[in-house]
Amino acid sequence: VLLYGHLDKQPPMTADWEQGLGPWTPVIRDGKLYGRGGADDGYAIFAAITAVRALQLQGKSHSRLVVMIESSEESGSPDLP
């Protein structure tokens, strides 16, 4: 099983944010999350590894795991085959 995530980030681009919102402070407004990475998979690998660790702590088995953390997803993933 491949556990994939990326850790690259873009500049904050603060000029286009609405008043009271910004990239560094998450805000929930009308049931929606606003903030940098609110709908990104930058922490997906952390969540996946945490889930696997929870299985291990319970003594459950799992498939062989391959972890891939990429750092150029925003640039077209030139390192991937």
Side-chain angles (χ1 to χ4, degrees), residues 2-27:
L2 175 64
L3 305 178
Y4 168 84
H6 68 85
L7 47 89
D8 56 334
K9 297 295 178 205
Q10 294 294 310
M13 300 175 279
T14 57
D16 296 330
W17 285 84
E18 185 178 308
Q19 182 67 29
L21 298 177
W24 310 120
T25 304
V27 174

Side-chain angles (χ1 to χ4, degrees), residues 14-78:
T14 57
D16 296 330
W17 285 84
E18 185 178 308
Q19 182 67 29
L21 298 177
W24 310 120
T25 304
V27 174
I28 297 176
R29 184 186 289 174
D30 299 324
K32 296 179 182 175
L33 175 64
Y34 295 87
R36 184 180 184 95
D40 200 349
D41 83 334
Y43 295 98
I45 195 66
F46 174 78
I49 291 172
T50 300
V52 170
R53 183 67 181 139
L55 289 173
Q56 292 172 338
L57 290 172
Q58 295 174 44
K60 307 277 183 174
S61 63
H62 56 77
S63 301
R64 177 177 171 263
L65 305 172
V66 175
V67 177
M68 181 184 345
I69 303 173
E70 182 185 9
S71 60
S72 59
E73 177 264 343
E74 302 285 354
S75 304
S77 305

